[in-house]
Amino acid sequence: MNKKREIETSVKDESLIEKRREQMIRGAVTLFKEKGFHRTTTREIAKAAGFSIGTLYEYIRTKEDVLYLVCDAIYDEVHARLDHLDLERGSISVLTMAIEHYYTLIDDMQDEFVVMYQESKALPKDALRYVLKKELEMVAIFERLLSQCVENGEIQMTPKEVRMASHHLFVQGQMWAFRRWALDNFTIQEFIDIQTRFLLQGMAGEKISVQGAKT
């Protein structure tokens, strides 16, 4: 996992830094979604987070720092949910679990995903490069799992097809955040089950159940 981008702070207490920045993220996500990044002020973020503007600047230096924290929080959570899976012994069943964990995360962090993609262009170039690298790191998890499924003989795909499919898996889940307004008659579990079946059937070239058993 890439080393975190350092954000300046005058506070030494790591637990307090984490707590305050989580509060900032929650407040900022709501504001960025409603008003957009550029129309939101740091004073509004501080108020939404529940502390003064002076306190805010003890933990960050710029408004862009807050947006960066929003983006980084997503990828930290992706790792937290996927790293406990047996990623070194990839199989259809492990891949299916990884898809479910990732898509459930998108359901839990819908607003964060929307804000990240709508507003990340406002990040400084070095922070944007970091965020894009982190995204590729997430895609690489699925690429590794798919490659192992190929090695196991469960899926027949070329290396280029594996690479394309890994991006497809990653982006397709984000449809739940961006198209949620049009999918209001679906539950998240229905979305996961249908998407997983579509994705695996297309990649394997044969019908595979959500549980990974061929039918």
Side-chain angles (χ1 to χ4, degrees), residues 15-39:
S15 63
L16 188 57
I17 292 172
E18 182 177 355
K19 178 182 177 181
R20 292 291 187 235
R21 286 180 173 174
E22 285 177 357
Q23 291 173 301
M24 286 182 214
I25 290 170
R26 287 195 298 270
V29 163
T30 300
L31 290 167
F32 291 163
K33 186 178 179 184
E34 291 177 353
K35 302 182 61 174
F37 174 80
H38 291 293
R39 289 178 18 183

Side-chain angles (χ1 to χ4, degrees), residues 9 19 31 33 38 52-53 86 99-101 110 116-117 150 158 162 165 169 177 185 215:
T9 175
K19 178 182 177 181
L31 290 167
K33 186 178 179 184
H38 291 293
S52 69
I53 186 68
D86 191 359
I99 293 171
E100 180 164 6
H101 286 313
Q110 291 180 48
M116 181 183 69
Y117 281 104
V150 172
T158 67
V162 167
L169 284 171
N185 60 331
T215 60

Side-chain angles (χ1 to χ4, degrees), residues 28-137:
V29 163
T30 300
L31 290 167
F32 291 163
K33 186 178 179 184
E34 291 177 353
K35 302 182 61 174
F37 174 80
H38 291 293
R39 289 178 18 183
T40 298
T41 67
T42 50
R43 189 172 298 278
E44 288 173 324
I45 294 172
K47 182 178 179 180
F51 41 77
S52 69
I53 186 68
T55 299
L56 180 86
Y57 281 118
E58 292 178 0
Y59 296 91
I60 54 102
R61 289 293 175 266
T62 67
K63 186 170 64 172
E64 286 77 10
D65 283 346
V66 182
L67 180 55
Y68 164 77
L69 289 172
V70 172
C71 297
D72 205 40
I74 292 173
Y75 297 117
D76 285 346
E77 190 61 27
V78 170
H79 268 292
R81 299 202 188 191
L82 296 187
D83 282 355
H84 73 281
L85 297 176
D86 191 359
L87 300 177
E88 300 308 315
R89 298 178 61 185
S91 64
I92 289 290
S93 61
V94 174
L95 176 62
T96 300
M97 284 190 290
I99 293 171
E100 180 164 6
H101 286 313
Y102 172 55
Y103 287 13
T104 301
L105 167 63
I106 293 171
D107 182 50
D108 292 341
M109 302 183 75
Q110 291 180 48
D111 289 348
E112 286 88 341
F113 272 94
V114 170
V115 165
M116 181 183 69
Y117 281 104
Q118 287 182 343
E119 307 295 345
S120 59
K121 60 184 178 293
L123 286 167
K125 288 184 178 179
D126 63 324
L128 180 58
R129 283 194 298 269
Y130 171 81
V131 168
L132 294 177
K133 284 182 180 179
K134 296 270 281 197
E135 178 165 315
L136 291 177
E137 186 179 291

Side-chain angles (χ1 to χ4, degrees), residues 10 13 20 54 89 137 143 156 164 192 198:
S10 59
D13 186 334
R20 292 291 187 235
R89 298 178 61 185
E137 186 179 291
E143 186 170 357
Q156 292 184 346
M164 178 71 74
I192 291 169
F198 285 169

